[in-house]
Amino acid sequence: MNKALLFLLAMLCTLTSVAQNTDAMLFGDVKAKEGGRHLPHAIISVKGTNLKTECDGTGHYKLNNLPLGKQTIVATLEGYQQQELEVTMTKEKGTEAYFELEKDPLELNQVVVTGTRTAHFVKDVPIRTEVLTSQAITKKNAQNLYEALEGVPGIRVEQQCQFCNFSEVRMQGLGAEHTQVLIDGEPVYSGLAGVYGLQQIGTNDVDRLEVVKGAGSALYGSSAVAGAINIISKEPGYEPTVSGDVQFGNFGFKSYKGSGSMRYNNIGLSVFAQRTEMDAVDETQDGLTRKEVKHKDGVSDRVSEQMNNLGFSLYFYHPFAKNDKLILRGKAVDEQRFGGVMTNDQYLNPFSDGTENIKTNRLSADLAYTLPIGAHSELNLAAAYVHHKRQATNDTFLHDYMDSHKDPAHPDEDGATPDVGLMRPYIAKENTLTPSLTFTSILGNHTLLAGVQGYFTRLRETGLYCISAEEEKANPYYGIPYTSIGKKHANEVGFFIQDEWNVTPKLTVVPGLRLDTHSSGEEYATSEKVSDNAFPTTKFRKTSFNPRLAVKYEVTPSLILRANVGTGFRAPYGFSEDLHLCSGSPRVWKSSDLKGERAVSYNLSADYYGKWYQLSMNLFRTNLKDKIQFSPASDDVKKFGYSYQWENVDDAYVQGVELGAKASLFRNFSAAVNWTFNQGKFKHERAEWSDKEDEECKKYPQRLQYAKDSRHISRFPAMTGDIDLDYSPGTWSFSLTGSLQGKMYIDYNSEDAGETSKIKQTNTFMTFNCRVAKRFGMCTIYAGGKNIFSYIQDEKHTDDAAFMYAPVYGATWYAGLSVRL
């Protein structure tokens, strides 16, 4: 087998060396149209092939062995509009081509890869793609992915736990389990990373974020029902750079960043490190009005956090063949967060009442290899490995033990506490491997792509549990503490194929298909006997076909229409809530009878690209079948100590329209505004709020008044909006951003057995951020604020940690100094 692979690699290398030998040379330079200065490191490529080169430090280039005859040569450089020149190449002769590039105020000439797995400019990509550049991330003062994604149209990032600040991303109304987060095109962000990972992925090494909405399962697998977010790492340039950044803010905020990159001959290296610290914040308390909420209660609203990010990227150019590239990357994340009762620093004691303590260690290594084959084909091999460990404690086991060890003579008093020697943290270790192989070939008007991608993960977890439900008092194992040992696994292999067909110069059709085979399972063991029956195991197997069809039509050079439709599939594995609540709580039950979700997504968009402005509209709808919902455990499930379970509750849909405009209104001033109208509903009213025979509704018939509201998908605002104003005169930079969140429905599940539980419709509100910066040569001094008018939510209940829909603490301010050499 190994000999066969070596033979195949040798044959491919041979093909690359002999495929083109025309001795037709192209040379010239690239200048800025305004001012006429040479532009170093612009990319020169031959349209319709994979032939390209990069200008040297003086803005000059040369390209050997081009195809003969008429060729279209393209010059691109970030910040400038692309330019195309037509030349005629003759065997054994040289040809000149000189470019003059204009500024690109709307950033339409960025190269993106996520929508089709092939490189396109933003304006030309068949699948509508939105880009967040590193400059935009800096302007937001985003320290992590969570902060970077705030304000992106159609995306909502939210916190779902008041004690540990568990966060997730929603795309077009669908939850994190429907959105695939990729790092350099690989789905290494999953499982344990889905719980706190948005806040643990730093931005120091991020070149850009690419966002593709709508049916993505045809290329990226079962988790891409709503779309994909691709985090693209920075690549070292020819000019050596060293940068540093130090920042301080209120509430004990501190940030330290450093990075460096260089390229020498055919080797490039980049390194980065980032440390962030912040103190716990207490500014609000329980209440039914904002006036009541605006007081401290001694419980943290924001966790105390210390996070370290560091890593390296090593690039080898032409290591084995002409124009091939090998990339090796390694990254490490170390984070610790503390939350809970702040009085007398009680939250620092991980086993005390009212505390939560989470420690995360994450190591990742990945490899990517690109091999051009002739002038029209390319082979891409990638593999990534992640080791993720989490150690967590909260007070759930403590309370369960105390509830089950009360003195019958004094039922209203706290029960006995467990011996300190019994206490243990929840520990989870996850190992994930994601290999992929992709082959791309340009055949006339067709760009064919075929590939295979694997996802293999193993999760081992241990934690302390105790059966304590009131209705289980007759259970002979009631109150017995035990350690649960859980083993979870998932194996997924996907084969995909796509044809990007340029039917005419104006019309592009992209059909695609992916076949996925998924198998997963969970099994449990216990340190003590707590049931007369063995703990049930779960197994799930499914093969799914997910087609997608995308169409792009250029009505005029300025007006582009795009449409795509595709199916999606979501396997019932790796739900973030499983790994959030299990840090001390009884497990979340997942039956083998649970069905995978099916989805059909539709997107229709129109974009108008003027010279100084852009207008956009995007219509979307996703139909979900057998939507999986987080629910209280049934009586049969409670016998094993579970408090919650996953259920196929109903069919549902989400739909809406996104409107956007951005313009360079006058010199050094730009503005952008986005507005989205949404709707999302279940097919039927949810049983726990509408069924008179439901156990909770029988006990608390007042729940039935929310039956109609229960059809609305929770946490999906009826509208959202964003405004972004930027003014950059000379060495100054000023920015003001605002985010609007419309009314939405959110469940409140009270601890008092449902007496005050309800579905709340929130009010519309808006928050604002600002930033100012001044550059002094290599140094930049900056300052800014977030939520500068200190808006906080107008109702709070700490007995339901997930009852969060707006900021729960006021303005944060910061100032810093950055240096770039």
Short mmCIF file of all heavy atoms in Angstrom, two decimals, residues 51 68 185 375 404 414 454 536 541 562 637 733 810:
data_model
loop_
_atom_site.label_atom_id
_atom_site.label_comp_id
_atom_site.label_asym_id
_atom_site.label_seq_id
_atom_site.Cartn_x
_atom_site.Cartn_y
_atom_site.Cartn_z
N LEU A 51 -2.01 28.50 -12.82
CA LEU A 51 -0.70 29.13 -12.94
C LEU A 51 -0.74 30.52 -12.31
O LEU A 51 -1.62 31.33 -12.62
CB LEU A 51 -0.29 29.24 -14.40
CG LEU A 51 -0.17 27.91 -15.17
CD1 LEU A 51 0.12 28.18 -16.64
CD2 LEU A 51 0.91 27.04 -14.55
N LEU A 68 0.06 28.60 -24.84
CA LEU A 68 0.20 29.43 -26.05
C LEU A 68 -1.15 30.00 -26.48
O LEU A 68 -2.22 29.48 -26.12
CB LEU A 68 0.79 28.60 -27.18
CG LEU A 68 2.15 27.94 -26.88
CD1 LEU A 68 2.64 27.15 -28.09
CD2 LEU A 68 3.18 28.97 -26.45
N GLY A 185 -10.77 25.43 6.77
CA GLY A 185 -11.51 24.49 5.96
C GLY A 185 -11.78 23.15 6.59
O GLY A 185 -12.48 22.32 6.01
N ALA A 375 -1.47 22.47 -15.71
CA ALA A 375 -1.94 23.85 -15.63
C ALA A 375 -3.39 23.93 -15.18
O ALA A 375 -3.89 25.03 -14.92
CB ALA A 375 -1.79 24.53 -16.99
N SER A 404 -31.10 14.75 48.87
CA SER A 404 -31.40 13.34 49.13
C SER A 404 -30.94 12.89 50.51
O SER A 404 -31.10 11.71 50.85
CB SER A 404 -30.76 12.46 48.06
OG SER A 404 -29.35 12.64 48.04
N ASP A 414 -31.69 22.34 55.14
CA ASP A 414 -30.71 21.74 54.24
C ASP A 414 -30.30 20.37 54.74
O ASP A 414 -30.18 20.14 55.96
CB ASP A 414 -29.48 22.62 54.12
CG ASP A 414 -29.75 23.90 53.34
OD1 ASP A 414 -30.75 23.91 52.58
OD2 ASP A 414 -28.99 24.86 53.49
N GLY A 454 -13.27 12.84 6.40
CA GLY A 454 -13.60 12.00 7.53
C GLY A 454 -13.68 12.80 8.82
O GLY A 454 -13.06 13.86 8.95
N PRO A 536 -28.77 1.90 29.85
CA PRO A 536 -28.97 1.66 28.42
C PRO A 536 -27.88 2.34 27.59
O PRO A 536 -27.39 3.42 27.93
CB PRO A 536 -30.33 2.30 28.14
CG PRO A 536 -30.52 3.30 29.22
CD PRO A 536 -29.81 2.76 30.42
N ARG A 541 -27.06 5.01 13.45
CA ARG A 541 -26.41 4.81 12.16
C ARG A 541 -27.30 5.40 11.07
O ARG A 541 -28.51 5.22 11.10
CB ARG A 541 -26.18 3.32 11.88
CG ARG A 541 -25.14 2.66 12.76
CD ARG A 541 -24.98 1.19 12.42
NE ARG A 541 -23.98 0.56 13.26
CZ ARG A 541 -22.68 0.53 12.99
NH1 ARG A 541 -22.24 1.11 11.88
NH2 ARG A 541 -21.83 -0.05 13.81
N ARG A 562 -28.08 35.54 -7.26
CA ARG A 562 -27.64 34.21 -6.83
C ARG A 562 -28.80 33.46 -6.19
O ARG A 562 -29.64 34.06 -5.52
CB ARG A 562 -26.49 34.30 -5.82
CG ARG A 562 -25.21 34.95 -6.34
CD ARG A 562 -24.18 35.01 -5.23
NE ARG A 562 -22.91 35.58 -5.65
CZ ARG A 562 -22.62 36.89 -5.62
NH1 ARG A 562 -23.53 37.75 -5.17
NH2 ARG A 562 -21.44 37.32 -6.01
N VAL A 637 -36.96 7.77 32.31
CA VAL A 637 -35.56 8.19 32.19
C VAL A 637 -35.02 8.69 33.52
O VAL A 637 -33.85 8.50 33.85
CB VAL A 637 -35.45 9.27 31.09
CG1 VAL A 637 -34.06 9.89 31.07
CG2 VAL A 637 -35.78 8.68 29.72
N SER A 733 -8.38 57.44 13.21
CA SER A 733 -9.43 56.50 12.84
C SER A 733 -10.53 56.57 13.89
O SER A 733 -10.25 56.45 15.09
CB SER A 733 -8.88 55.07 12.75
OG SER A 733 -9.91 54.16 12.51
N GLY A 810 -22.99 46.55 32.56
CA GLY A 810 -22.94 47.79 31.79
C GLY A 810 -21.73 47.93 30.89
O GLY A 810 -21.13 46.95 30.44
#
